[in-house]
Amino acid sequence: MSDAPNYQYELVGVFGHPVAENPTCVMQEAGFDALGLRWRYLTIDIAPGKLADAIQAMRVFNMQGANLTIPYKVEVLRYLDEIAPDARLIGAVNTVWRQDGRYIGANTDGKGFLRSLREDANMNPAGRRAVILGAGGAARAIAVELALAGVSYIVIVNRTRERGEELARHLNAQTPVTAEYASWDETYAIPDRTDFVINATSIALYPNVDDIPDIDYDTIHAQHLVCDVIPNPPRTPFLHRAAARGARTLDGLGMLVYQGAIAFEMWTGQPAPVEAMKAALAREFGVESNN
Ligand code: NDP
């Protein structure tokens, strides 16, 4: 006897506003195809004021989960059944997944960065000293995950003093790391003994792809690992300048792929086909898929 036909799909997706240019569907659907899963990833624009309804709709449609993007990563906390401890520390949720019928908020941005650091740059961050440029959502997620992974010292360098000071205070109070704020009123010199430098600002985000953080590039050395969060185009002027100084570099495409791969694994319970996901995204961006 042949199996009954099955035309039903498991659903996940992204809620944002605006969201049309979000490329995550490309890598998630490539992952589902690679494993032969009957899953779909939907890109859904949620009008302002409608997020609570959207989460309710997610329950009604019995979705397996969702990603949240701008401007909903913070607001969503109040509509979920549970928030994972690190997402609570970060104060934002980018991934919702379902366990025993309950929707749990997680944050895979910093974890994605960490996995890229370990797997693409072969670096164990424990005991290292980091400089993070920026104090927004990406910087916060990265800083918290680095702190939880045992980084010993973090300098937060941010244009807006209050935001940078608040993040350094939060890290000192809530995580094992020692953190300090450094002002960015003038060209920033990387301190001695720094192991890695991360641009977690939106500098060089499309269309301003030629912009570059105002640091003293003579203070970048061959022993530094220099990282950027900008995924497209991934070879930013910041990474070019660092490479010209002999530093190793890590681009933001890996972080983007791994934050999606971790969500994929939470949703499907299966190891993510990372190479297929990364190749699909690199093809979409028109770049090589290696760091
Ligand atoms: P936010 O708006 O929350 O924060 C932006 C940060 O950039 C702030 O610290 C801001 O400083 C700083 N900044 C912006 N412009 C300048 C400038 N001209 N000079 C100095 N500092 C500047 O954004 P997010 O943290 O959410 O996103 C930051 C970047 O991270 C984006 O480009 C995003 O695409 C990328 N990202 C990448 C991911 C990946 O997977 N690769 C995942 C998530 C984000 P101030 O506080 O002074 O305004």
PDB file of all heavy atoms in Angstrom, residues 9-15 39-44 46 54-67 96-99 101-103 267:
ATOM      1  N   TYR A   9       3.322  21.634   4.868  1.00  0.00           N
ATOM      2  CA  TYR A   9       4.686  22.066   5.196  1.00  0.00           C
ATOM      3  C   TYR A   9       4.762  22.506   6.657  1.00  0.00           C
ATOM      4  O   TYR A   9       3.804  23.058   7.193  1.00  0.00           O
ATOM      5  CB  TYR A   9       5.100  23.261   4.333  1.00  0.00           C
ATOM      6  CG  TYR A   9       5.433  22.888   2.908  1.00  0.00           C
ATOM      7  CD1 TYR A   9       4.436  22.793   1.947  1.00  0.00           C
ATOM      8  CD2 TYR A   9       6.747  22.622   2.533  1.00  0.00           C
ATOM      9  CE1 TYR A   9       4.737  22.454   0.643  1.00  0.00           C
ATOM     10  CE2 TYR A   9       7.056  22.280   1.227  1.00  0.00           C
ATOM     11  CZ  TYR A   9       6.048  22.199   0.286  1.00  0.00           C
ATOM     12  OH  TYR A   9       6.358  21.862  -0.995  1.00  0.00           O
ATOM     13  N   GLU A  10       5.915  22.280   7.269  1.00  0.00           N
ATOM     14  CA  GLU A  10       6.210  22.928   8.542  1.00  0.00           C
ATOM     15  C   GLU A  10       6.627  24.366   8.225  1.00  0.00           C
ATOM     16  O   GLU A  10       7.353  24.600   7.253  1.00  0.00           O
ATOM     17  CB  GLU A  10       7.348  22.215   9.266  1.00  0.00           C
ATOM     18  CG  GLU A  10       7.057  20.777   9.636  1.00  0.00           C
ATOM     19  CD  GLU A  10       5.887  20.639  10.589  1.00  0.00           C
ATOM     20  OE1 GLU A  10       5.582  21.614  11.318  1.00  0.00           O
ATOM     21  OE2 GLU A  10       5.262  19.562  10.604  1.00  0.00           O
ATOM     22  N   LEU A  11       6.185  25.308   9.059  1.00  0.00           N
ATOM     23  CA  LEU A  11       6.428  26.721   8.760  1.00  0.00           C
ATOM     24  C   LEU A  11       7.330  27.395   9.790  1.00  0.00           C
ATOM     25  O   LEU A  11       7.147  27.225  10.997  1.00  0.00           O
ATOM     26  CB  LEU A  11       5.097  27.488   8.724  1.00  0.00           C
ATOM     27  CG  LEU A  11       4.096  27.088   7.641  1.00  0.00           C
ATOM     28  CD1 LEU A  11       2.838  27.951   7.747  1.00  0.00           C
ATOM     29  CD2 LEU A  11       4.714  27.208   6.254  1.00  0.00           C
ATOM     30  N   VAL A  12       8.289  28.145   9.275  1.00  0.00           N
ATOM     31  CA  VAL A  12       9.052  29.114  10.072  1.00  0.00           C
ATOM     32  C   VAL A  12       9.132  30.379   9.217  1.00  0.00           C
ATOM     33  O   VAL A  12       8.616  30.413   8.101  1.00  0.00           O
ATOM     34  CB  VAL A  12      10.477  28.603  10.425  1.00  0.00           C
ATOM     35  CG1 VAL A  12      10.446  27.518  11.479  1.00  0.00           C
ATOM     36  CG2 VAL A  12      11.212  28.120   9.179  1.00  0.00           C
ATOM     37  N   GLY A  13       9.768  31.419   9.731  1.00  0.00           N
ATOM     38  CA  GLY A  13       9.862  32.633   8.918  1.00  0.00           C
ATOM     39  C   GLY A  13      10.481  33.761   9.697  1.00  0.00           C
ATOM     40  O   GLY A  13      11.009  33.560  10.799  1.00  0.00           O
ATOM     41  N   VAL A  14      10.441  34.942   9.113  1.00  0.00           N
ATOM     42  CA  VAL A  14      10.971  36.129   9.791  1.00  0.00           C
ATOM     43  C   VAL A  14       9.898  37.204   9.834  1.00  0.00           C
ATOM     44  O   VAL A  14       9.208  37.439   8.839  1.00  0.00           O
ATOM     45  CB  VAL A  14      12.276  36.643   9.135  1.00  0.00           C
ATOM     46  CG1 VAL A  14      12.111  36.935   7.648  1.00  0.00           C
ATOM     47  CG2 VAL A  14      12.829  37.857   9.871  1.00  0.00           C
ATOM     48  N   PHE A  15       9.768  37.831  11.014  1.00  0.00           N
ATOM     49  CA  PHE A  15       8.858  38.962  11.193  1.00  0.00           C
ATOM     50  C   PHE A  15       9.698  40.233  11.326  1.00  0.00           C
ATOM     51  O   PHE A  15      10.574  40.317  12.196  1.00  0.00           O
ATOM     52  CB  PHE A  15       8.039  38.816  12.485  1.00  0.00           C
ATOM     53  CG  PHE A  15       7.115  37.622  12.542  1.00  0.00           C
ATOM     54  CD1 PHE A  15       6.634  37.181  13.774  1.00  0.00           C
ATOM     55  CD2 PHE A  15       6.706  36.952  11.391  1.00  0.00           C
ATOM     56  CE1 PHE A  15       5.766  36.091  13.858  1.00  0.00           C
ATOM     57  CE2 PHE A  15       5.840  35.854  11.464  1.00  0.00           C
ATOM     58  CZ  PHE A  15       5.372  35.426  12.705  1.00  0.00           C
ATOM     59  N   TRP A  39       9.755  21.874   4.710  1.00  0.00           N
ATOM     60  CA  TRP A  39       9.666  23.074   5.533  1.00  0.00           C
ATOM     61  C   TRP A  39       9.692  24.292   4.621  1.00  0.00           C
ATOM     62  O   TRP A  39      10.304  24.261   3.552  1.00  0.00           O
ATOM     63  CB  TRP A  39      10.858  23.172   6.493  1.00  0.00           C
ATOM     64  CG  TRP A  39      10.803  22.244   7.667  1.00  0.00           C
ATOM     65  CD1 TRP A  39      10.672  20.879   7.625  1.00  0.00           C
ATOM     66  CD2 TRP A  39      10.899  22.611   9.051  1.00  0.00           C
ATOM     67  NE1 TRP A  39      10.689  20.379   8.906  1.00  0.00           N
ATOM     68  CE2 TRP A  39      10.834  21.414   9.794  1.00  0.00           C
ATOM     69  CE3 TRP A  39      11.047  23.822   9.720  1.00  0.00           C
ATOM     70  CZ2 TRP A  39      10.895  21.410  11.186  1.00  0.00           C
ATOM     71  CZ3 TRP A  39      11.123  23.816  11.108  1.00  0.00           C
ATOM     72  CH2 TRP A  39      11.033  22.622  11.823  1.00  0.00           C
ATOM     73  N   ARG A  40       9.058  25.375   5.019  1.00  0.00           N
ATOM     74  CA  ARG A  40       9.125  26.646   4.290  1.00  0.00           C
ATOM     75  C   ARG A  40       9.492  27.772   5.250  1.00  0.00           C
ATOM     76  O   ARG A  40       9.087  27.770   6.423  1.00  0.00           O
ATOM     77  CB  ARG A  40       7.777  27.007   3.628  1.00  0.00           C
ATOM     78  CG  ARG A  40       7.293  26.063   2.559  1.00  0.00           C
ATOM     79  CD  ARG A  40       8.295  25.812   1.455  1.00  0.00           C
ATOM     80  NE  ARG A  40       8.789  27.007   0.799  1.00  0.00           N
ATOM     81  CZ  ARG A  40       8.298  27.530  -0.321  1.00  0.00           C
ATOM     82  NH1 ARG A  40       7.271  26.966  -0.911  1.00  0.00           N
ATOM     83  NH2 ARG A  40       8.834  28.607  -0.846  1.00  0.00           N
ATOM     84  N   TYR A  41      10.258  28.740   4.730  1.00  0.00           N
ATOM     85  CA  TYR A  41      10.672  29.913   5.511  1.00  0.00           C
ATOM     86  C   TYR A  41      10.045  31.136   4.848  1.00  0.00           C
ATOM     87  O   TYR A  41      10.367  31.470   3.701  1.00  0.00           O
ATOM     88  CB  TYR A  41      12.195  30.021   5.518  1.00  0.00           C
ATOM     89  CG  TYR A  41      12.731  31.112   6.428  1.00  0.00           C
ATOM     90  CD1 TYR A  41      13.198  30.813   7.710  1.00  0.00           C
ATOM     91  CD2 TYR A  41      12.771  32.445   6.006  1.00  0.00           C
ATOM     92  CE1 TYR A  41      13.691  31.807   8.539  1.00  0.00           C
ATOM     93  CE2 TYR A  41      13.260  33.443   6.836  1.00  0.00           C
ATOM     94  CZ  TYR A  41      13.718  33.119   8.106  1.00  0.00           C
ATOM     95  OH  TYR A  41      14.210  34.120   8.926  1.00  0.00           O
ATOM     96  N   LEU A  42       9.132  31.804   5.558  1.00  0.00           N
ATOM     97  CA  LEU A  42       8.358  32.912   4.987  1.00  0.00           C
ATOM     98  C   LEU A  42       8.879  34.255   5.474  1.00  0.00           C
ATOM     99  O   LEU A  42       9.183  34.410   6.663  1.00  0.00           O
ATOM    100  CB  LEU A  42       6.883  32.778   5.401  1.00  0.00           C
ATOM    101  CG  LEU A  42       6.232  31.420   5.107  1.00  0.00           C
ATOM    102  CD1 LEU A  42       4.813  31.394   5.676  1.00  0.00           C
ATOM    103  CD2 LEU A  42       6.221  31.148   3.608  1.00  0.00           C
ATOM    104  N   THR A  43       8.977  35.210   4.576  1.00  0.00           N
ATOM    105  CA  THR A  43       9.434  36.559   4.914  1.00  0.00           C
ATOM    106  C   THR A  43       8.193  37.433   5.053  1.00  0.00           C
ATOM    107  O   THR A  43       7.506  37.700   4.062  1.00  0.00           O
ATOM    108  CB  THR A  43      10.376  37.063   3.812  1.00  0.00           C
ATOM    109  OG1 THR A  43      11.489  36.165   3.747  1.00  0.00           O
ATOM    110  CG2 THR A  43      10.869  38.478   4.108  1.00  0.00           C
ATOM    111  N   ILE A  44       7.886  37.850   6.307  1.00  0.00           N
ATOM    112  CA  ILE A  44       6.571  38.450   6.588  1.00  0.00           C
ATOM    113  C   ILE A  44       6.728  39.853   7.160  1.00  0.00           C
ATOM    114  O   ILE A  44       7.346  40.045   8.214  1.00  0.00           O
ATOM    115  CB  ILE A  44       5.779  37.564   7.594  1.00  0.00           C
ATOM    116  CG1 ILE A  44       5.680  36.125   7.057  1.00  0.00           C
ATOM    117  CG2 ILE A  44       4.390  38.146   7.836  1.00  0.00           C
ATOM    118  CD1 ILE A  44       5.046  35.145   8.036  1.00  0.00           C
ATOM    119  N   ILE A  46       5.400  42.758   9.195  1.00  0.00           N
ATOM    120  CA  ILE A  46       4.402  42.966  10.252  1.00  0.00           C
ATOM    121  C   ILE A  46       4.265  44.472  10.478  1.00  0.00           C
ATOM    122  O   ILE A  46       5.244  45.135  10.844  1.00  0.00           O
ATOM    123  CB  ILE A  46       4.845  42.282  11.573  1.00  0.00           C
ATOM    124  CG1 ILE A  46       5.142  40.791  11.358  1.00  0.00           C
ATOM    125  CG2 ILE A  46       3.801  42.508  12.668  1.00  0.00           C
ATOM    126  CD1 ILE A  46       3.968  39.948  10.949  1.00  0.00           C
ATOM    127  N   ALA A  54       0.756  39.018  15.482  1.00  0.00           N
ATOM    128  CA  ALA A  54       1.595  38.123  14.671  1.00  0.00           C
ATOM    129  C   ALA A  54       2.029  36.908  15.487  1.00  0.00           C
ATOM    130  O   ALA A  54       2.046  35.780  14.980  1.00  0.00           O
ATOM    131  CB  ALA A  54       2.814  38.873  14.150  1.00  0.00           C
ATOM    132  N   ILE A  55       2.368  37.129  16.748  1.00  0.00           N
ATOM    133  CA  ILE A  55       2.774  35.994  17.592  1.00  0.00           C
ATOM    134  C   ILE A  55       1.579  35.076  17.840  1.00  0.00           C
ATOM    135  O   ILE A  55       1.700  33.846  17.856  1.00  0.00           O
ATOM    136  CB  ILE A  55       3.409  36.498  18.917  1.00  0.00           C
ATOM    137  CG1 ILE A  55       4.665  37.330  18.631  1.00  0.00           C
ATOM    138  CG2 ILE A  55       3.728  35.329  19.851  1.00  0.00           C
ATOM    139  CD1 ILE A  55       5.789  36.596  17.921  1.00  0.00           C
ATOM    140  N   GLN A  56       0.405  35.680  17.997  1.00  0.00           N
ATOM    141  CA  GLN A  56      -0.812  34.874  18.153  1.00  0.00           C
ATOM    142  C   GLN A  56      -1.055  34.054  16.876  1.00  0.00           C
ATOM    143  O   GLN A  56      -1.401  32.874  16.941  1.00  0.00           O
ATOM    144  CB  GLN A  56      -2.002  35.795  18.481  1.00  0.00           C
ATOM    145  CG  GLN A  56      -3.283  35.077  18.867  1.00  0.00           C
ATOM    146  CD  GLN A  56      -3.100  34.050  19.978  1.00  0.00           C
ATOM    147  OE1 GLN A  56      -2.221  34.180  20.837  1.00  0.00           O
ATOM    148  NE2 GLN A  56      -3.899  32.982  19.951  1.00  0.00           N
ATOM    149  N   ALA A  57      -0.844  34.685  15.717  1.00  0.00           N
ATOM    150  CA  ALA A  57      -1.020  33.979  14.438  1.00  0.00           C
ATOM    151  C   ALA A  57      -0.023  32.824  14.331  1.00  0.00           C
ATOM    152  O   ALA A  57      -0.360  31.741  13.834  1.00  0.00           O
ATOM    153  CB  ALA A  57      -0.836  34.953  13.281  1.00  0.00           C
ATOM    154  N   MET A  58       1.182  33.055  14.831  1.00  0.00           N
ATOM    155  CA  MET A  58       2.199  32.002  14.826  1.00  0.00           C
ATOM    156  C   MET A  58       1.682  30.782  15.610  1.00  0.00           C
ATOM    157  O   MET A  58       1.870  29.638  15.192  1.00  0.00           O
ATOM    158  CB  MET A  58       3.476  32.561  15.458  1.00  0.00           C
ATOM    159  CG  MET A  58       4.644  31.647  15.402  1.00  0.00           C
ATOM    160  SD  MET A  58       6.148  32.500  15.936  1.00  0.00           S
ATOM    161  CE  MET A  58       6.009  32.285  17.686  1.00  0.00           C
ATOM    162  N   ARG A  59       1.009  31.056  16.713  1.00  0.00           N
ATOM    163  CA  ARG A  59       0.449  29.953  17.518  1.00  0.00           C
ATOM    164  C   ARG A  59      -0.669  29.251  16.740  1.00  0.00           C
ATOM    165  O   ARG A  59      -0.738  28.023  16.696  1.00  0.00           O
ATOM    166  CB  ARG A  59      -0.109  30.496  18.843  1.00  0.00           C
ATOM    167  CG  ARG A  59       0.952  31.083  19.770  1.00  0.00           C
ATOM    168  CD  ARG A  59       0.297  31.609  21.065  1.00  0.00           C
ATOM    169  NE  ARG A  59       1.215  32.439  21.834  1.00  0.00           N
ATOM    170  CZ  ARG A  59       2.115  31.956  22.700  1.00  0.00           C
ATOM    171  NH1 ARG A  59       2.183  30.675  22.922  1.00  0.00           N
ATOM    172  NH2 ARG A  59       2.914  32.769  23.357  1.00  0.00           N
ATOM    173  N   VAL A  60      -1.554  30.042  16.111  1.00  0.00           N
ATOM    174  CA  VAL A  60      -2.688  29.466  15.391  1.00  0.00           C
ATOM    175  C   VAL A  60      -2.200  28.617  14.209  1.00  0.00           C
ATOM    176  O   VAL A  60      -2.719  27.523  13.964  1.00  0.00           O
ATOM    177  CB  VAL A  60      -3.636  30.592  14.902  1.00  0.00           C
ATOM    178  CG1 VAL A  60      -4.720  30.028  13.991  1.00  0.00           C
ATOM    179  CG2 VAL A  60      -4.260  31.324  16.092  1.00  0.00           C
ATOM    180  N   PHE A  61      -1.192  29.120  13.500  1.00  0.00           N
ATOM    181  CA  PHE A  61      -0.660  28.374  12.350  1.00  0.00           C
ATOM    182  C   PHE A  61       0.245  27.227  12.785  1.00  0.00           C
ATOM    183  O   PHE A  61       0.770  26.502  11.959  1.00  0.00           O
ATOM    184  CB  PHE A  61       0.137  29.305  11.428  1.00  0.00           C
ATOM    185  CG  PHE A  61      -0.713  30.251  10.623  1.00  0.00           C
ATOM    186  CD1 PHE A  61      -0.118  31.200   9.812  1.00  0.00           C
ATOM    187  CD2 PHE A  61      -2.096  30.206  10.675  1.00  0.00           C
ATOM    188  CE1 PHE A  61      -0.887  32.077   9.053  1.00  0.00           C
ATOM    189  CE2 PHE A  61      -2.873  31.086   9.925  1.00  0.00           C
ATOM    190  CZ  PHE A  61      -2.263  32.025   9.112  1.00  0.00           C
ATOM    191  N   ASN A  62       0.437  27.113  14.093  1.00  0.00           N
ATOM    192  CA  ASN A  62       1.273  26.035  14.625  1.00  0.00           C
ATOM    193  C   ASN A  62       2.675  26.073  14.030  1.00  0.00           C
ATOM    194  O   ASN A  62       3.268  25.038  13.693  1.00  0.00           O
ATOM    195  CB  ASN A  62       0.605  24.684  14.331  1.00  0.00           C
ATOM    196  CG  ASN A  62       1.044  23.633  15.315  1.00  0.00           C
ATOM    197  OD1 ASN A  62       1.510  23.958  16.407  1.00  0.00           O
ATOM    198  ND2 ASN A  62       0.923  22.379  14.924  1.00  0.00           N
ATOM    199  N   MET A  63       3.198  27.293  13.862  1.00  0.00           N
ATOM    200  CA  MET A  63       4.536  27.434  13.277  1.00  0.00           C
ATOM    201  C   MET A  63       5.583  26.825  14.202  1.00  0.00           C
ATOM    202  O   MET A  63       5.406  26.794  15.420  1.00  0.00           O
ATOM    203  CB  MET A  63       4.854  28.915  13.002  1.00  0.00           C
ATOM    204  CG  MET A  63       4.049  29.490  11.846  1.00  0.00           C
ATOM    205  SD  MET A  63       4.314  31.270  11.608  1.00  0.00           S
ATOM    206  CE  MET A  63       5.997  31.326  10.967  1.00  0.00           C
ATOM    207  N   GLN A  64       6.676  26.359  13.618  1.00  0.00           N
ATOM    208  CA  GLN A  64       7.758  25.772  14.421  1.00  0.00           C
ATOM    209  C   GLN A  64       8.584  26.844  15.118  1.00  0.00           C
ATOM    210  O   GLN A  64       9.301  26.557  16.061  1.00  0.00           O
ATOM    211  CB  GLN A  64       8.667  24.943  13.523  1.00  0.00           C
ATOM    212  CG  GLN A  64       7.994  23.710  12.946  1.00  0.00           C
ATOM    213  CD  GLN A  64       7.909  22.582  13.954  1.00  0.00           C
ATOM    214  OE1 GLN A  64       8.452  22.669  15.049  1.00  0.00           O
ATOM    215  NE2 GLN A  64       7.208  21.523  13.588  1.00  0.00           N
ATOM    216  N   GLY A  65       8.487  28.081  14.616  1.00  0.00           N
ATOM    217  CA  GLY A  65       9.241  29.171  15.228  1.00  0.00           C
ATOM    218  C   GLY A  65       9.370  30.313  14.250  1.00  0.00           C
ATOM    219  O   GLY A  65       8.735  30.311  13.191  1.00  0.00           O
ATOM    220  N   ALA A  66      10.214  31.270  14.599  1.00  0.00           N
ATOM    221  CA  ALA A  66      10.391  32.433  13.727  1.00  0.00           C
ATOM    222  C   ALA A  66      11.661  33.179  14.116  1.00  0.00           C
ATOM    223  O   ALA A  66      12.156  33.045  15.232  1.00  0.00           O
ATOM    224  CB  ALA A  66       9.194  33.374  13.838  1.00  0.00           C
ATOM    225  N   ASN A  67      12.151  33.957  13.167  1.00  0.00           N
ATOM    226  CA  ASN A  67      13.163  34.976  13.470  1.00  0.00           C
ATOM    227  C   ASN A  67      12.465  36.310  13.647  1.00  0.00           C
ATOM    228  O   ASN A  67      11.421  36.560  13.046  1.00  0.00           O
ATOM    229  CB  ASN A  67      14.169  35.119  12.326  1.00  0.00           C
ATOM    230  CG  ASN A  67      15.129  33.958  12.233  1.00  0.00           C
ATOM    231  OD1 ASN A  67      15.378  33.434  11.160  1.00  0.00           O
ATOM    232  ND2 ASN A  67      15.683  33.550  13.361  1.00  0.00           N
ATOM    233  N   VAL A  96      12.700  32.517  17.762  1.00  0.00           N
ATOM    234  CA  VAL A  96      11.706  31.864  18.613  1.00  0.00           C
ATOM    235  C   VAL A  96      11.623  30.418  18.170  1.00  0.00           C
ATOM    236  O   VAL A  96      11.590  30.129  16.967  1.00  0.00           O
ATOM    237  CB  VAL A  96      10.321  32.536  18.450  1.00  0.00           C
ATOM    238  CG1 VAL A  96       9.263  31.779  19.256  1.00  0.00           C
ATOM    239  CG2 VAL A  96      10.379  33.995  18.877  1.00  0.00           C
ATOM    240  N   TRP A  97      11.640  29.509  19.129  1.00  0.00           N
ATOM    241  CA  TRP A  97      11.481  28.102  18.782  1.00  0.00           C
ATOM    242  C   TRP A  97      10.469  27.462  19.721  1.00  0.00           C
ATOM    243  O   TRP A  97      10.156  28.015  20.788  1.00  0.00           O
ATOM    244  CB  TRP A  97      12.820  27.366  18.777  1.00  0.00           C
ATOM    245  CG  TRP A  97      13.535  27.321  20.091  1.00  0.00           C
ATOM    246  CD1 TRP A  97      14.056  28.385  20.761  1.00  0.00           C
ATOM    247  CD2 TRP A  97      13.804  26.179  20.893  1.00  0.00           C
ATOM    248  NE1 TRP A  97      14.644  27.976  21.926  1.00  0.00           N
ATOM    249  CE2 TRP A  97      14.514  26.623  22.029  1.00  0.00           C
ATOM    250  CE3 TRP A  97      13.536  24.813  20.763  1.00  0.00           C
ATOM    251  CZ2 TRP A  97      14.932  25.753  23.033  1.00  0.00           C
ATOM    252  CZ3 TRP A  97      13.965  23.951  21.758  1.00  0.00           C
ATOM    253  CH2 TRP A  97      14.651  24.422  22.874  1.00  0.00           C
ATOM    254  N   ARG A  98       9.943  26.309  19.297  1.00  0.00           N
ATOM    255  CA  ARG A  98       8.838  25.706  20.019  1.00  0.00           C
ATOM    256  C   ARG A  98       9.296  24.448  20.737  1.00  0.00           C
ATOM    257  O   ARG A  98      10.001  23.620  20.166  1.00  0.00           O
ATOM    258  CB  ARG A  98       7.742  25.332  19.017  1.00  0.00           C
ATOM    259  CG  ARG A  98       6.398  25.142  19.653  1.00  0.00           C
ATOM    260  CD  ARG A  98       5.357  24.888  18.625  1.00  0.00           C
ATOM    261  NE  ARG A  98       5.657  23.660  17.885  1.00  0.00           N
ATOM    262  CZ  ARG A  98       4.878  23.147  16.952  1.00  0.00           C
ATOM    263  NH1 ARG A  98       3.775  23.769  16.603  1.00  0.00           N
ATOM    264  NH2 ARG A  98       5.206  22.036  16.336  1.00  0.00           N
ATOM    265  N   GLN A  99       8.931  24.358  22.007  1.00  0.00           N
ATOM    266  CA  GLN A  99       9.255  23.147  22.752  1.00  0.00           C
ATOM    267  C   GLN A  99       8.018  22.778  23.567  1.00  0.00           C
ATOM    268  O   GLN A  99       7.536  23.608  24.354  1.00  0.00           O
ATOM    269  CB  GLN A  99      10.443  23.407  23.682  1.00  0.00           C
ATOM    270  CG  GLN A  99      11.005  22.157  24.292  1.00  0.00           C
ATOM    271  CD  GLN A  99      12.148  22.463  25.248  1.00  0.00           C
ATOM    272  OE1 GLN A  99      12.081  23.412  26.033  1.00  0.00           O
ATOM    273  NE2 GLN A  99      13.194  21.681  25.180  1.00  0.00           N
ATOM    274  N   GLY A 101       5.025  22.715  22.763  1.00  0.00           N
ATOM    275  CA  GLY A 101       3.920  23.644  22.525  1.00  0.00           C
ATOM    276  C   GLY A 101       4.135  25.042  23.085  1.00  0.00           C
ATOM    277  O   GLY A 101       3.254  25.896  22.980  1.00  0.00           O
ATOM    278  N   ARG A 102       5.302  25.298  23.679  1.00  0.00           N
ATOM    279  CA  ARG A 102       5.571  26.626  24.244  1.00  0.00           C
ATOM    280  C   ARG A 102       6.603  27.330  23.362  1.00  0.00           C
ATOM    281  O   ARG A 102       7.544  26.700  22.881  1.00  0.00           O
ATOM    282  CB  ARG A 102       6.109  26.508  25.675  1.00  0.00           C
ATOM    283  CG  ARG A 102       5.152  25.761  26.590  1.00  0.00           C
ATOM    284  CD  ARG A 102       5.747  25.541  27.966  1.00  0.00           C
ATOM    285  NE  ARG A 102       5.713  26.774  28.757  1.00  0.00           N
ATOM    286  CZ  ARG A 102       6.772  27.424  29.191  1.00  0.00           C
ATOM    287  NH1 ARG A 102       7.975  26.968  28.932  1.00  0.00           N
ATOM    288  NH2 ARG A 102       6.636  28.531  29.899  1.00  0.00           N
ATOM    289  N   TYR A 103       6.422  28.627  23.187  1.00  0.00           N
ATOM    290  CA  TYR A 103       7.352  29.393  22.343  1.00  0.00           C
ATOM    291  C   TYR A 103       8.412  30.069  23.215  1.00  0.00           C
ATOM    292  O   TYR A 103       8.093  30.839  24.131  1.00  0.00           O
ATOM    293  CB  TYR A 103       6.591  30.414  21.507  1.00  0.00           C
ATOM    294  CG  TYR A 103       5.835  29.756  20.372  1.00  0.00           C
ATOM    295  CD1 TYR A 103       4.459  29.564  20.436  1.00  0.00           C
ATOM    296  CD2 TYR A 103       6.514  29.296  19.250  1.00  0.00           C
ATOM    297  CE1 TYR A 103       3.778  28.949  19.398  1.00  0.00           C
ATOM    298  CE2 TYR A 103       5.837  28.664  18.204  1.00  0.00           C
ATOM    299  CZ  TYR A 103       4.470  28.499  18.290  1.00  0.00           C
ATOM    300  OH  TYR A 103       3.810  27.878  17.261  1.00  0.00           O
ATOM    301  N   TRP A 267      15.050  24.608  15.432  1.00  0.00           N
ATOM    302  CA  TRP A 267      13.741  24.322  14.847  1.00  0.00           C
ATOM    303  C   TRP A 267      13.602  22.864  14.433  1.00  0.00           C
ATOM    304  O   TRP A 267      12.612  22.217  14.746  1.00  0.00           O
ATOM    305  CB  TRP A 267      13.504  25.202  13.604  1.00  0.00           C
ATOM    306  CG  TRP A 267      13.385  26.660  13.889  1.00  0.00           C
ATOM    307  CD1 TRP A 267      12.877  27.250  15.016  1.00  0.00           C
ATOM    308  CD2 TRP A 267      13.782  27.735  13.029  1.00  0.00           C
ATOM    309  NE1 TRP A 267      12.936  28.617  14.902  1.00  0.00           N
ATOM    310  CE2 TRP A 267      13.484  28.938  13.691  1.00  0.00           C
ATOM    311  CE3 TRP A 267      14.364  27.800  11.762  1.00  0.00           C
ATOM    312  CZ2 TRP A 267      13.743  30.192  13.147  1.00  0.00           C
ATOM    313  CZ3 TRP A 267      14.619  29.041  11.195  1.00  0.00           C
ATOM    314  CH2 TRP A 267      14.313  30.213  11.887  1.00  0.00           C
TER     315      TRP A 267
END
